[in-house]
Amino acid sequence: MDPGAGIDPGAGIDPGAELGIDPDDLPDGLVVADEHGRVVCFNAAAARITAVPASEALGRRLESALPLEDLEGRRWWQLTEPYGGLAIRNGQPERNLLLPGGREVLVSARYVRTNPAGPVRRVVVSLRDTEARRRTERSHAELIATVAHELRSPLTSVKGFTATLLAKWERFTDDQKKLMLETVDADANRVTRLIAELLDISRIDSGRLEVRRQPVDIGAAVGRHIQAYVASGQSADRFLLRIEQPLPALWADPDKIDQVLSNLLENAVRHGEGTVTIDVAPSASPRERGDDESTATVASAANAATSVTVSDEGTGIPEESMNRVFTRFWRGSKRGGTGLGLYIVKGIVEAHGGTITVGRAPGGGAEFRFTLPVGTPAYLL
């Protein structure tokens, strides 16, 4: 059957008969022209992207309804000649083109023929807004610029101290050498952390963050972090750890949970004030609410969760910033840092199937709460 037969050029395509799906349900712009070059489909996304109502586009010639130009100002339809030229052509690959007014869109086209060398019966054009891609590109550029800036300082220090030691080793006392090497060691650790953060972000963005589950004593893990702060000079009175027993047996990646705890406690100590309170308590997983009574026993074991709340008594996070806390480069203050820590924390928690929220603590400071399902392996249920 001739795909172009029986279609009124001004009537548009019957979605059910011609496509099997409503074109307006598609996320990308869809424009279809018949064998005469007249538009027979112009979906809602195409109308949004081009700012041309479908009623105005239907029935018009393709080059008139969709006047595209390349980045050098040449008319795209005249260059590509979809209804002429080589009979073996089957379309145009995706490329950046300009709408009237200079708005940039991503356009690809498919030429539909009744047989491989036959005339074109349909030209199917896909349109995509470039804004999402631009945001992604800007985000990647910002990430590279931020990491490069953060790497410059420790690497400059490492280079300076090592060059000085190599050139004037005999002139320094042992105490001076030790101080320089300790500084080099601290800066090398900083570089290592930055590289680890960059790798974590890459894995989170690509969905390749691996979680290697083992039994984790979350209360003991929090206790170790508090002891480390006390050993480094913080007052033991600044920390209050409250553990509600009994806690469900938690299976998680211990290294990544340590990373989450380290970031949250560091934020509370560095940016908060007063007592840092850590509450560890059993919690119900959101999945459990959908289980029926017949599976309640299994659900109770499999869907139990542990929540950890870290709060301080500082000024807290402004209400207008709450929705940006877990985005890249957000900084609660100007006290340094890459602004990547909480973005990574959210990625790790979600990779475990958990959730994390931010709010205002009872004492007025910031309150971060993350909840992790027990993650018990299926063979133990």
Side-chain angles (χ1 to χ4, degrees):
M1 179 179 178
D2 184 351
I7 294 179
D8 178 357
I13 286 180
D14 177 357
E18 295 293 322
L19 300 178
I21 188 173
D22 188 341
D24 289 342
D25 291 337
L26 298 175
D28 294 337
L30 175 67
V31 180
V32 181
D34 64 11
E35 71 272 25
H36 304 296
R38 296 192 178 276
V39 175
V40 294
C41 177
F42 201 85
N43 73 346
R48 173 180 53 79
I49 293 170
T50 62
V52 175
S55 58
E56 293 184 13
L58 290 172
R60 294 172 63 186
R61 294 197 62 81
L62 184 58
E63 61 269 25
S64 174
L66 199 61
L68 296 167
E69 295 183 351
D70 66 13
L71 300 182
E72 296 178 4
R74 298 173 296 183
R75 295 186 181 277
W76 194 55
W77 298 115
Q78 293 181 2
L79 287 175
T80 57
E81 291 187 297
Y83 294 95
L86 296 175
I88 59 172
R89 292 186 307 173
N90 58 12
Q92 294 290 334
E94 186 176 75
R95 65 189 66 195
N96 284 8
L97 296 174
L98 301 176
L99 290 167
R103 184 177 180 184
E104 197 170 324
V105 290
L106 293 168
V107 181
S108 58
R110 175 77 177 176
Y111 305 156
V112 180
R113 305 175 187 270
T114 52
N115 57 68
V120 173
R121 296 299 186 183
R122 290 281 189 277
V123 174
V124 182
V125 182
S126 173
L127 303 175
R128 288 200 294 162
D129 199 329
T130 61
E131 187 56 34
R133 179 175 291 189
R134 284 180 176 177
R135 283 197 300 267
T136 301
E137 291 173 349
R138 283 197 299 268
S139 180
H140 288 165
E142 289 172 1
L143 177 61
I144 292 170
T146 298
V147 173
H149 175 76
E150 293 291 332
L151 285 173
R152 184 183 296 118
S153 177
L155 288 176
T156 300
S157 172
V158 168
K159 177 63 178 175
F161 278 119
T162 53
T164 301
L165 285 170
L166 287 171
K168 303 177 181 179
W169 179 266
E170 302 296 336
R171 300 185 186 181
F172 296 110
T173 66
D174 288 345
D175 288 341
Q176 289 173 325
K177 292 174 184 175
K178 182 180 179 182
L179 178 61
M180 289 185 182
L181 290 174
E182 286 175 344
T183 303
V184 168
D185 182 63
D187 285 332
N189 286 337
R190 183 178 168 192
V191 170
T192 301
R193 285 196 303 272
L194 285 168
I195 293 173
E197 285 184 349
L198 190 61
L199 291 173
D200 284 337
I201 287 175
S202 173
R203 295 185 183 110
I204 289 169
D205 288 346
S206 63
R208 294 185 294 105
L209 187 66
E210 294 184 7
V211 175
R212 298 175 180 175
R213 296 183 185 273
Q214 302 174 34
V216 173
D217 186 337
I218 193 73
V222 175
R224 288 194 299 271
H225 282 278
I226 293 175
Q227 291 171 5
Y229 275 107
V230 173
S232 65
Q234 290 286 337
S235 170
D237 294 336
R238 189 173 183 192
F239 301 93
L240 174 60
L241 173 59
R242 298 185 297 207
I243 303 176
E244 183 181 333
Q245 298 289 357
L247 292 173
L250 175 65
W251 286 71
D253 189 316
D255 292 336
K256 289 182 171 54
I257 297 304
D258 272 343
Q259 195 173 350
V260 170
L261 294 172
S262 176
N263 268 285
L264 295 182
L265 287 171
E266 183 180 356
N267 280 341
V269 171
R270 179 185 294 182
H271 305 298
E273 298 174 6
T275 302
V276 176
T277 304
I278 306 98
D279 290 295
V280 183
S283 177
S285 171
R287 292 177 297 172
E288 190 171 6
R289 302 190 188 108
D291 292 311
D292 56 31
E293 294 182 1
S294 64
T295 58
T297 302
V298 175
S300 178
N303 293 338
T306 298
S307 68
V308 179
T309 305
V310 180
S311 57
D312 62 72
E313 298 174 340
T315 57
I317 299 170
E319 195 69 30
E320 62 272 15
S321 298
M322 289 287 188
N323 62 344
R324 296 188 290 110
V325 167
F326 297 110
T327 59
R328 291 181 183 181
F329 313 120
W330 184 85
R331 295 180 178 88
S333 69
K334 297 182 179 179
R335 301 184 199 177
T338 60
L340 300 173
L342 291 175
Y343 178 81
I344 294 171
V345 163
K346 183 174 184 288
I348 291 174
V349 170
E350 291 181 346
H352 281 80
T355 59
I356 185 166
T357 58
V358 61
R360 188 165 295 280
E367 178 181 280
F368 289 89
R369 183 177 189 265
F370 68 92
T371 302
L372 299 174
V374 296
T376 307
Y379 68 87
L380 292 178
L381 295 177

